[in-house]
Amino acid sequence: MGTALRRPPAPNPELYRFSRLDLTTASLYVAVAGFFTLGGDLLAPLLVQLSPNLAVASYGVNLIFYGTIGVLALAAVRTIAARDVRILATRPWFTLLMVPVSLVAMLILTAVLVALSGPVQTSANQAGLQALMQQVPAWLMVPLLVIVGPFVEEYIFRHLLIGKLSRRINLWACCALSVVLFAALHIVGQEAVTLQALMPYLAMGAVLVFVYVWTGKNVMFAYLVHAAKNLLAVIFIYAVPPDVLEQLQQIQP
């Protein structure tokens, strides 16, 4: 089963060279994400000007950010993405089976690591998303959290940091870097960095890295797993009443 989708990591080495579009997209992503992290407080007055509802304004800014990066990322990775989709299409049953299996593995690993690290600690990122979802309808959140967001993050953290950077740096070093930076992105600048807050994102990043490498650097398979995880979270948050969700978060492992 481990070789079900395996193929040479780079059948065309030119596809795994950093392009100017890659560098432009990655630089813009880092610059804007860094500004949100370090200068987030400066955005508050601007958000109020955009909309009296801070949640709606925050949603709009995130959609513009991820939408812009998403368009650039799609243009940069379109050849490899199309190739990866064709590979998945030749093994539809494998794809349909292994996406949920990977998702279950992610949930199990998350539960184990969170239990080992101590009391559950909801990250500021998760709390912010939950608050946003209480004010923005699901049909608006799905494009951002399930379609665009996962694609951008898989392009940056798997395709660039592993697929392309591994041509210059050891593959396993790239994998470790991908996991750590992916987790850090979701909490740095929002709260104190603690093991309890990091663990869910470390577990998620580790599984996404594993499926990316295991399937022969198939970025679209990693994207499907990431999108499925986010879709499950969206369904859970919208389906569970806020007061019940708050009580569940207070339960200690």
Side-chain angles (χ1 to χ4, degrees), residues 5-16 79-80 83-84 86-87 163 167 215-218:
L5 281 180
R6 192 162 294 282
R7 52 181 169 76
N12 181 356
E14 292 300 319
L15 293 178
Y16 286 86
T79 302
I80 290 177
R83 181 201 63 192
D84 289 350
R86 288 195 297 270
I87 291 172
R167 297 184 74 249
T215 55
K217 298 181 180 178
N218 192 302

Side-chain angles (χ1 to χ4, degrees), residues 50-131:
L50 293 176
S51 171
N53 187 321
L54 193 59
V56 173
S58 177
Y59 168 83
V61 170
N62 276 280
L63 184 62
I64 292 172
F65 167 56
Y66 274 98
T68 301
I69 300 297
V71 170
L72 294 174
L74 181 60
V77 77
R78 64 187 184 280
T79 302
I80 290 177
R83 181 201 63 192
D84 289 350
V85 168
R86 288 195 297 270
I87 291 172
L88 294 176
T90 64
R91 299 165 175 83
W93 291 110
F94 172 88
T95 305
L96 291 174
L97 174 64
M98 293 312 298
V99 168
V101 167
S102 300
L103 182 58
V104 170
M106 183 186 296
L107 296 175
I108 293 174
L109 180 60
T110 300
V112 170
L113 293 182
V114 168
L116 292 175
S117 64
V120 175
Q121 179 179 326
T122 302
S123 69
N125 177 74
Q126 183 66 22
L129 284 176
Q130 291 172 6

Side-chain angles (χ1 to χ4, degrees), residues 134-204:
Q134 291 173 11
Q135 301 183 61
V136 178
W139 65 272
L140 284 176
M141 293 303 298
V142 168
L144 176 62
L145 295 183
V146 180
I147 300 175
V148 181
F151 182 78
V152 169
E153 292 183 357
E154 290 312 304
Y155 166 75
I156 295 290
F157 292 100
R158 253 58 71 182
H159 177 63
L160 294 187
L161 282 182
I162 300 177
K164 293 200 170 185
L165 190 60
S166 64
R167 297 184 74 249
R168 301 172 179 270
I169 301 175
N170 177 270
L171 173 65
W172 302 114
C174 292
C175 290
L177 184 66
S178 173
V179 172
V180 171
L181 291 182
F182 176 79
L185 169 76
H186 292 85
I187 69 169
V188 169
Q190 304 179 63
E191 59 200 291
V193 178
T194 65
L195 194 60
Q196 291 88 348
L198 270 174
M199 278 303 182
Y201 298 110
L202 288 174
M204 184 178 179

